[in-house]
Amino acid sequence: MPGTALRQKFSRPENDRQVMTSWERFLQGDEPGSDALRRLIDDSWRRCHGKVDPTRDQAPPPISGDPLYGLLEHSADLIEASASVMASARDFLSETGTVMVLTDAAGVVLSIEGDTSLRDPAENIHLMPGASWSEASCGTNAIGTALEIGQAIQIHSSEHFCSGIKRWSCSASVIRDPISQTILGAIDISGLTDSYSRHELALAVAAAGRIENRLARREMNLRYRLLDHYLNRLNQAGRDGLIVFDRYGRAVKANDRAAELMTHLAKSRNDQATTIRDLTLPWRDGKLAPEKMPSWVDHDWIEPVTAEGERLGSILVLPDRSALVRRTAIRDVTQSAPTTDAFGRLIGAAPPYVAAVRRARQLAKASVPVLLLGETGVGKDAFARAFHDMGPNPKGPLMAVNCGGFSRELLTSELFGYAEGAFTGAKRGGMTGKIEAADGGTLFLDEIGEMPLDLQPHLLRVLESGEVCRIGENHPRKVSFRLIAATNRDLQAEVKAGRFRMDLYYRIAVTSLALPPLRERRSDIVPLAQHLLAQIAARYDRPAPQIGPEMQRALEQHDWPGNIRELRNALEGSLLICDGDRLEAEHLPHDLGLAEMSSSETPQSDQPAISPLELVEREAIMRAIRAHQGNLTSVARELGIAKSTLYVKLDRFGLKESVAILRTAQA
């Protein structure tokens, strides 16, 4: 009876002690023997018996890195459709003692939002992205059991099969494909036992319904775009047969000749004829061809259909003549393959650097969010540029933002932009933020570890929903970009310390690339110095001098805590005081602690080495000096410091001779 079936879905906490007794009897080999035990729970326990350890107290360790990224990419449609639901959970479940969990069809967690007070208890049982909560992994639980039986269910306390999870209460509903009705995943509401409410199951069912509706709207929109794209082709195909397939390989449209030609071609290959409705061409993302094709279908007859970088489907061209129709791929008009290897511009042959470049080339072609890891000055910005130039949208914009270079308010405006009148001093007409400006290209967020904690959820929402709202606006704007982030911090440690959001970390760090510091690639220092010296000399409109043996030895011996940025500054300072065509060790700035290593005759500096932070300051002063041709009054005014302070810094950074040379050149 419907009423009985409905009651089977809900837990009854008042029966908890009796259910616990039934569980103990069941593990001892006896029949549970209690009316308090629901049939769905009894069936689940029997499926788990002998396969799942009843003493388990957490899910298996979660996957991470590239496997997790691959999972998130494979589930991108489900994640996007659930973005607004999960965002609502972040707000409305914040003080309820519960969290909302999204999983794929195998029960692997994709996203989790809700009350942050549950973060530690949830992590203790591995209720986190990448962890599997299938029935086979964790025994009876709402996620795994709902996926197993294909319907919503609530599981409370002692109803769980594993003892270590019995302090939890959870309610889950499956999410189905709106067209094929296959299970795509599950949505779950979980909390400790005292958070139990029958309404949680209703919330899970309602959330699953909202996600399914968004999936249906998206699927119909893609199908309309697919049919619109090929409408003229279908009407003007001549004697050829055309069959249009959606991105899942399902036939959605065909012209009048298709059925006849399909039957003829199948018979010519002694293959069993089928109807167009039953013909499928399953084509997974990243594959160059469908996984399974009838023997009579030639690969050259299949054309993928893409628009704005998104695959809409494919078309099968059935020729009406003996000559095969050569395949013409329909390419996105916004895309063009780069003709040069952007990574070839990077200088380095040391094994750790070559390995980093090799991995970067592998990652560049896909729209993969990449987290660049490395010390200050290792060249993360150069890698970001190469990723963009070798990526799927090299002609799109590359927008870079240093998250550590702005106050919270300025960074918010820089990233998200603002509407006219959003605040006092806002520009007329508003301002486009870097996120919006990166649409169709690449967004490079340097020093992302410096991003204020309260700003991180807003960035996460953009990444999950593909929409951005300017400050002072209510309507979202669609954006599509590749994200490249960089940091010199240990973000995992930052997450543990509560200074960086775990969900944002998983979003940006699923694929990472570590760049070696200069001291770990000493064989590259001299070739890199020669390359940088040529660039610096060209800026000053003079020939690049040679690097003498003593200077080469000094460069190779230094540890370069500021890496390439420090090397560039040292070379620039050396060039400015060199009158000949050869740089020697004596031209190196003494404050960098280099000259004393090159020769015992070179006097040692009493000043401490410049820190990485001071290197950035030195670079800013040098830019201002060049811009104002050595006019120190103008330099101090631009930098916002007193002239006396500027003199102290010139002495500290060894720039007095550089100023004198510029003044002489100007005179």
PDB file of all heavy atoms in Angstrom, residues 341 343 357-368 370 383 386-393 482 484:
ATOM      1  N   ASP A 341      55.114  26.660 -29.784  1.00  0.00           N
ATOM      2  CA  ASP A 341      55.087  26.065 -28.454  1.00  0.00           C
ATOM      3  C   ASP A 341      55.420  27.143 -27.436  1.00  0.00           C
ATOM      4  O   ASP A 341      56.577  27.559 -27.310  1.00  0.00           O
ATOM      5  CB  ASP A 341      56.095  24.919 -28.389  1.00  0.00           C
ATOM      6  CG  ASP A 341      56.137  24.273 -27.015  1.00  0.00           C
ATOM      7  OD1 ASP A 341      55.252  24.571 -26.184  1.00  0.00           O
ATOM      8  OD2 ASP A 341      57.054  23.472 -26.778  1.00  0.00           O
ATOM      9  N   PHE A 343      55.573  26.973 -24.296  1.00  0.00           N
ATOM     10  CA  PHE A 343      56.478  26.509 -23.252  1.00  0.00           C
ATOM     11  C   PHE A 343      57.930  26.507 -23.724  1.00  0.00           C
ATOM     12  O   PHE A 343      58.848  26.454 -22.911  1.00  0.00           O
ATOM     13  CB  PHE A 343      56.071  25.117 -22.779  1.00  0.00           C
ATOM     14  CG  PHE A 343      54.778  25.103 -22.018  1.00  0.00           C
ATOM     15  CD1 PHE A 343      53.612  24.649 -22.602  1.00  0.00           C
ATOM     16  CD2 PHE A 343      54.720  25.570 -20.720  1.00  0.00           C
ATOM     17  CE1 PHE A 343      52.419  24.646 -21.908  1.00  0.00           C
ATOM     18  CE2 PHE A 343      53.531  25.574 -20.013  1.00  0.00           C
ATOM     19  CZ  PHE A 343      52.381  25.119 -20.616  1.00  0.00           C
ATOM     20  N   VAL A 357      57.863  21.434 -16.939  1.00  0.00           N
ATOM     21  CA  VAL A 357      57.393  21.871 -18.259  1.00  0.00           C
ATOM     22  C   VAL A 357      56.658  20.742 -18.966  1.00  0.00           C
ATOM     23  O   VAL A 357      55.628  20.951 -19.611  1.00  0.00           O
ATOM     24  CB  VAL A 357      58.573  22.379 -19.110  1.00  0.00           C
ATOM     25  CG1 VAL A 357      58.130  22.664 -20.537  1.00  0.00           C
ATOM     26  CG2 VAL A 357      59.177  23.634 -18.491  1.00  0.00           C
ATOM     27  N   ARG A 358      57.186  19.517 -18.834  1.00  0.00           N
ATOM     28  CA  ARG A 358      56.531  18.371 -19.476  1.00  0.00           C
ATOM     29  C   ARG A 358      55.117  18.175 -18.921  1.00  0.00           C
ATOM     30  O   ARG A 358      54.163  17.976 -19.681  1.00  0.00           O
ATOM     31  CB  ARG A 358      57.349  17.102 -19.251  1.00  0.00           C
ATOM     32  CG  ARG A 358      56.785  15.881 -19.993  1.00  0.00           C
ATOM     33  CD  ARG A 358      57.520  14.608 -19.624  1.00  0.00           C
ATOM     34  NE  ARG A 358      58.949  14.736 -19.845  1.00  0.00           N
ATOM     35  CZ  ARG A 358      59.863  14.674 -18.894  1.00  0.00           C
ATOM     36  NH1 ARG A 358      59.488  14.500 -17.622  1.00  0.00           N
ATOM     37  NH2 ARG A 358      61.136  14.793 -19.163  1.00  0.00           N
ATOM     38  N   ARG A 359      54.975  18.274 -17.616  1.00  0.00           N
ATOM     39  CA  ARG A 359      53.648  18.119 -17.009  1.00  0.00           C
ATOM     40  C   ARG A 359      52.734  19.281 -17.423  1.00  0.00           C
ATOM     41  O   ARG A 359      51.548  19.082 -17.670  1.00  0.00           O
ATOM     42  CB  ARG A 359      53.778  18.058 -15.490  1.00  0.00           C
ATOM     43  CG  ARG A 359      52.443  17.999 -14.753  1.00  0.00           C
ATOM     44  CD  ARG A 359      52.636  17.691 -13.278  1.00  0.00           C
ATOM     45  NE  ARG A 359      51.422  17.907 -12.518  1.00  0.00           N
ATOM     46  CZ  ARG A 359      50.407  17.068 -12.474  1.00  0.00           C
ATOM     47  NH1 ARG A 359      50.448  15.947 -13.162  1.00  0.00           N
ATOM     48  NH2 ARG A 359      49.335  17.340 -11.745  1.00  0.00           N
ATOM     49  N   ALA A 360      53.303  20.466 -17.517  1.00  0.00           N
ATOM     50  CA  ALA A 360      52.498  21.621 -17.928  1.00  0.00           C
ATOM     51  C   ALA A 360      51.959  21.426 -19.337  1.00  0.00           C
ATOM     52  O   ALA A 360      50.796  21.747 -19.621  1.00  0.00           O
ATOM     53  CB  ALA A 360      53.339  22.890 -17.852  1.00  0.00           C
ATOM     54  N   ARG A 361      52.777  20.907 -20.240  1.00  0.00           N
ATOM     55  CA  ARG A 361      52.307  20.656 -21.611  1.00  0.00           C
ATOM     56  C   ARG A 361      51.141  19.670 -21.616  1.00  0.00           C
ATOM     57  O   ARG A 361      50.199  19.804 -22.390  1.00  0.00           O
ATOM     58  CB  ARG A 361      53.451  20.107 -22.462  1.00  0.00           C
ATOM     59  CG  ARG A 361      54.441  21.161 -22.953  1.00  0.00           C
ATOM     60  CD  ARG A 361      55.288  20.600 -24.092  1.00  0.00           C
ATOM     61  NE  ARG A 361      56.201  21.613 -24.600  1.00  0.00           N
ATOM     62  CZ  ARG A 361      57.482  21.703 -24.251  1.00  0.00           C
ATOM     63  NH1 ARG A 361      57.979  20.841 -23.367  1.00  0.00           N
ATOM     64  NH2 ARG A 361      58.251  22.639 -24.756  1.00  0.00           N
ATOM     65  N   GLN A 362      51.222  18.654 -20.744  1.00  0.00           N
ATOM     66  CA  GLN A 362      50.150  17.658 -20.691  1.00  0.00           C
ATOM     67  C   GLN A 362      48.835  18.270 -20.228  1.00  0.00           C
ATOM     68  O   GLN A 362      47.762  17.872 -20.680  1.00  0.00           O
ATOM     69  CB  GLN A 362      50.553  16.513 -19.750  1.00  0.00           C
ATOM     70  CG  GLN A 362      51.743  15.695 -20.238  1.00  0.00           C
ATOM     71  CD  GLN A 362      52.247  14.716 -19.188  1.00  0.00           C
ATOM     72  OE1 GLN A 362      51.980  14.874 -18.000  1.00  0.00           O
ATOM     73  NE2 GLN A 362      52.979  13.700 -19.618  1.00  0.00           N
ATOM     74  N   LEU A 363      48.929  19.239 -19.320  1.00  0.00           N
ATOM     75  CA  LEU A 363      47.724  19.826 -18.738  1.00  0.00           C
ATOM     76  C   LEU A 363      47.165  20.976 -19.552  1.00  0.00           C
ATOM     77  O   LEU A 363      46.005  21.360 -19.375  1.00  0.00           O
ATOM     78  CB  LEU A 363      48.026  20.332 -17.318  1.00  0.00           C
ATOM     79  CG  LEU A 363      48.491  19.294 -16.298  1.00  0.00           C
ATOM     80  CD1 LEU A 363      48.870  19.977 -14.998  1.00  0.00           C
ATOM     81  CD2 LEU A 363      47.413  18.247 -16.061  1.00  0.00           C
ATOM     82  N   ALA A 364      47.981  21.531 -20.456  1.00  0.00           N
ATOM     83  CA  ALA A 364      47.621  22.804 -21.082  1.00  0.00           C
ATOM     84  C   ALA A 364      46.394  22.707 -21.978  1.00  0.00           C
ATOM     85  O   ALA A 364      45.570  23.626 -21.999  1.00  0.00           O
ATOM     86  CB  ALA A 364      48.808  23.351 -21.879  1.00  0.00           C
ATOM     87  N   LYS A 365      46.248  21.638 -22.729  1.00  0.00           N
ATOM     88  CA  LYS A 365      45.193  21.579 -23.753  1.00  0.00           C
ATOM     89  C   LYS A 365      43.795  21.515 -23.169  1.00  0.00           C
ATOM     90  O   LYS A 365      42.848  22.017 -23.774  1.00  0.00           O
ATOM     91  CB  LYS A 365      45.424  20.367 -24.662  1.00  0.00           C
ATOM     92  CG  LYS A 365      46.610  20.525 -25.603  1.00  0.00           C
ATOM     93  CD  LYS A 365      46.403  21.663 -26.568  1.00  0.00           C
ATOM     94  CE  LYS A 365      47.556  21.806 -27.545  1.00  0.00           C
ATOM     95  NZ  LYS A 365      47.365  22.963 -28.441  1.00  0.00           N
ATOM     96  N   ALA A 366      43.636  20.873 -22.030  1.00  0.00           N
ATOM     97  CA  ALA A 366      42.310  20.763 -21.420  1.00  0.00           C
ATOM     98  C   ALA A 366      42.025  22.010 -20.597  1.00  0.00           C
ATOM     99  O   ALA A 366      42.933  22.721 -20.168  1.00  0.00           O
ATOM    100  CB  ALA A 366      42.244  19.519 -20.537  1.00  0.00           C
ATOM    101  N   SER A 367      40.740  22.267 -20.404  1.00  0.00           N
ATOM    102  CA  SER A 367      40.350  23.434 -19.596  1.00  0.00           C
ATOM    103  C   SER A 367      40.451  23.084 -18.115  1.00  0.00           C
ATOM    104  O   SER A 367      39.455  23.037 -17.398  1.00  0.00           O
ATOM    105  CB  SER A 367      38.924  23.868 -19.955  1.00  0.00           C
ATOM    106  OG  SER A 367      38.866  24.285 -21.291  1.00  0.00           O
ATOM    107  N   VAL A 368      41.647  22.811 -17.680  1.00  0.00           N
ATOM    108  CA  VAL A 368      41.882  22.326 -16.322  1.00  0.00           C
ATOM    109  C   VAL A 368      42.271  23.482 -15.405  1.00  0.00           C
ATOM    110  O   VAL A 368      43.211  24.209 -15.702  1.00  0.00           O
ATOM    111  CB  VAL A 368      43.018  21.280 -16.317  1.00  0.00           C
ATOM    112  CG1 VAL A 368      43.242  20.740 -14.920  1.00  0.00           C
ATOM    113  CG2 VAL A 368      42.708  20.154 -17.275  1.00  0.00           C
ATOM    114  N   VAL A 370      44.412  24.991 -12.810  1.00  0.00           N
ATOM    115  CA  VAL A 370      45.758  24.607 -12.393  1.00  0.00           C
ATOM    116  C   VAL A 370      46.200  25.486 -11.234  1.00  0.00           C
ATOM    117  O   VAL A 370      46.028  26.701 -11.276  1.00  0.00           O
ATOM    118  CB  VAL A 370      46.761  24.742 -13.560  1.00  0.00           C
ATOM    119  CG1 VAL A 370      48.160  24.344 -13.105  1.00  0.00           C
ATOM    120  CG2 VAL A 370      46.326  23.889 -14.738  1.00  0.00           C
ATOM    121  N   PHE A 383      54.584  30.824 -16.537  1.00  0.00           N
ATOM    122  CA  PHE A 383      53.866  29.571 -16.774  1.00  0.00           C
ATOM    123  C   PHE A 383      52.392  29.841 -17.037  1.00  0.00           C
ATOM    124  O   PHE A 383      51.767  29.187 -17.887  1.00  0.00           O
ATOM    125  CB  PHE A 383      54.039  28.615 -15.589  1.00  0.00           C
ATOM    126  CG  PHE A 383      55.198  27.681 -15.730  1.00  0.00           C
ATOM    127  CD1 PHE A 383      56.487  28.113 -15.463  1.00  0.00           C
ATOM    128  CD2 PHE A 383      55.013  26.370 -16.131  1.00  0.00           C
ATOM    129  CE1 PHE A 383      57.573  27.255 -15.598  1.00  0.00           C
ATOM    130  CE2 PHE A 383      56.076  25.500 -16.263  1.00  0.00           C
ATOM    131  CZ  PHE A 383      57.371  25.946 -16.001  1.00  0.00           C
ATOM    132  N   ALA A 386      52.028  30.861 -20.563  1.00  0.00           N
ATOM    133  CA  ALA A 386      52.190  29.720 -21.465  1.00  0.00           C
ATOM    134  C   ALA A 386      50.962  28.813 -21.433  1.00  0.00           C
ATOM    135  O   ALA A 386      50.528  28.311 -22.480  1.00  0.00           O
ATOM    136  CB  ALA A 386      53.446  28.929 -21.070  1.00  0.00           C
ATOM    137  N   PHE A 387      50.374  28.595 -20.254  1.00  0.00           N
ATOM    138  CA  PHE A 387      49.144  27.806 -20.171  1.00  0.00           C
ATOM    139  C   PHE A 387      48.049  28.445 -21.018  1.00  0.00           C
ATOM    140  O   PHE A 387      47.298  27.751 -21.719  1.00  0.00           O
ATOM    141  CB  PHE A 387      48.681  27.704 -18.716  1.00  0.00           C
ATOM    142  CG  PHE A 387      49.184  26.487 -18.003  1.00  0.00           C
ATOM    143  CD1 PHE A 387      50.176  26.587 -17.048  1.00  0.00           C
ATOM    144  CD2 PHE A 387      48.668  25.240 -18.281  1.00  0.00           C
ATOM    145  CE1 PHE A 387      50.652  25.458 -16.399  1.00  0.00           C
ATOM    146  CE2 PHE A 387      49.115  24.109 -17.638  1.00  0.00           C
ATOM    147  CZ  PHE A 387      50.126  24.219 -16.687  1.00  0.00           C
ATOM    148  N   HIS A 388      47.941  29.760 -20.935  1.00  0.00           N
ATOM    149  CA  HIS A 388      46.914  30.453 -21.721  1.00  0.00           C
ATOM    150  C   HIS A 388      47.175  30.301 -23.220  1.00  0.00           C
ATOM    151  O   HIS A 388      46.266  29.966 -23.989  1.00  0.00           O
ATOM    152  CB  HIS A 388      46.885  31.931 -21.342  1.00  0.00           C
ATOM    153  CG  HIS A 388      46.005  32.759 -22.224  1.00  0.00           C
ATOM    154  ND1 HIS A 388      44.627  32.712 -22.153  1.00  0.00           N
ATOM    155  CD2 HIS A 388      46.306  33.648 -23.212  1.00  0.00           C
ATOM    156  CE1 HIS A 388      44.118  33.543 -23.049  1.00  0.00           C
ATOM    157  NE2 HIS A 388      45.111  34.113 -23.703  1.00  0.00           N
ATOM    158  N   ASP A 389      48.423  30.548 -23.637  1.00  0.00           N
ATOM    159  CA  ASP A 389      48.748  30.506 -25.057  1.00  0.00           C
ATOM    160  C   ASP A 389      48.624  29.113 -25.643  1.00  0.00           C
ATOM    161  O   ASP A 389      48.364  28.965 -26.848  1.00  0.00           O
ATOM    162  CB  ASP A 389      50.172  31.029 -25.281  1.00  0.00           C
ATOM    163  CG  ASP A 389      50.286  32.517 -25.009  1.00  0.00           C
ATOM    164  OD1 ASP A 389      49.237  33.193 -24.948  1.00  0.00           O
ATOM    165  OD2 ASP A 389      51.428  33.016 -24.848  1.00  0.00           O
ATOM    166  N   MET A 390      48.799  28.074 -24.829  1.00  0.00           N
ATOM    167  CA  MET A 390      48.701  26.703 -25.320  1.00  0.00           C
ATOM    168  C   MET A 390      47.366  26.063 -24.983  1.00  0.00           C
ATOM    169  O   MET A 390      47.156  24.886 -25.256  1.00  0.00           O
ATOM    170  CB  MET A 390      49.831  25.856 -24.716  1.00  0.00           C
ATOM    171  CG  MET A 390      51.226  26.268 -25.151  1.00  0.00           C
ATOM    172  SD  MET A 390      51.484  26.097 -26.923  1.00  0.00           S
ATOM    173  CE  MET A 390      51.460  24.318 -27.089  1.00  0.00           C
ATOM    174  N   GLY A 391      46.478  26.830 -24.391  1.00  0.00           N
ATOM    175  CA  GLY A 391      45.183  26.294 -23.982  1.00  0.00           C
ATOM    176  C   GLY A 391      44.164  26.309 -25.104  1.00  0.00           C
ATOM    177  O   GLY A 391      44.462  26.657 -26.246  1.00  0.00           O
ATOM    178  N   PRO A 392      42.933  25.936 -24.792  1.00  0.00           N
ATOM    179  CA  PRO A 392      41.886  25.853 -25.821  1.00  0.00           C
ATOM    180  C   PRO A 392      41.431  27.209 -26.344  1.00  0.00           C
ATOM    181  O   PRO A 392      40.833  27.269 -27.413  1.00  0.00           O
ATOM    182  CB  PRO A 392      40.739  25.124 -25.088  1.00  0.00           C
ATOM    183  CG  PRO A 392      40.994  25.363 -23.639  1.00  0.00           C
ATOM    184  CD  PRO A 392      42.475  25.443 -23.487  1.00  0.00           C
ATOM    185  N   ASN A 393      41.692  28.298 -25.617  1.00  0.00           N
ATOM    186  CA  ASN A 393      41.249  29.626 -26.054  1.00  0.00           C
ATOM    187  C   ASN A 393      42.406  30.629 -26.030  1.00  0.00           C
ATOM    188  O   ASN A 393      42.376  31.614 -25.298  1.00  0.00           O
ATOM    189  CB  ASN A 393      40.106  30.132 -25.154  1.00  0.00           C
ATOM    190  CG  ASN A 393      38.861  29.285 -25.279  1.00  0.00           C
ATOM    191  OD1 ASN A 393      38.357  29.079 -26.370  1.00  0.00           O
ATOM    192  ND2 ASN A 393      38.382  28.773 -24.158  1.00  0.00           N
ATOM    193  N   ARG A 482      39.083  29.746 -18.039  1.00  0.00           N
ATOM    194  CA  ARG A 482      39.983  28.780 -17.413  1.00  0.00           C
ATOM    195  C   ARG A 482      40.662  29.464 -16.229  1.00  0.00           C
ATOM    196  O   ARG A 482      41.136  30.584 -16.355  1.00  0.00           O
ATOM    197  CB  ARG A 482      41.037  28.320 -18.402  1.00  0.00           C
ATOM    198  CG  ARG A 482      41.955  27.264 -17.791  1.00  0.00           C
ATOM    199  CD  ARG A 482      43.113  26.949 -18.673  1.00  0.00           C
ATOM    200  NE  ARG A 482      43.741  25.709 -18.226  1.00  0.00           N
ATOM    201  CZ  ARG A 482      44.599  25.039 -18.959  1.00  0.00           C
ATOM    202  NH1 ARG A 482      44.908  25.443 -20.157  1.00  0.00           N
ATOM    203  NH2 ARG A 482      45.136  23.929 -18.485  1.00  0.00           N
ATOM    204  N   ILE A 484      43.644  29.718 -13.531  1.00  0.00           N
ATOM    205  CA  ILE A 484      44.994  29.357 -13.114  1.00  0.00           C
ATOM    206  C   ILE A 484      45.289  30.161 -11.852  1.00  0.00           C
ATOM    207  O   ILE A 484      45.176  31.388 -11.855  1.00  0.00           O
ATOM    208  CB  ILE A 484      46.036  29.663 -14.206  1.00  0.00           C
ATOM    209  CG1 ILE A 484      45.728  28.842 -15.463  1.00  0.00           C
ATOM    210  CG2 ILE A 484      47.439  29.359 -13.707  1.00  0.00           C
ATOM    211  CD1 ILE A 484      46.654  29.120 -16.612  1.00  0.00           C
TER     212      ILE A 484
END
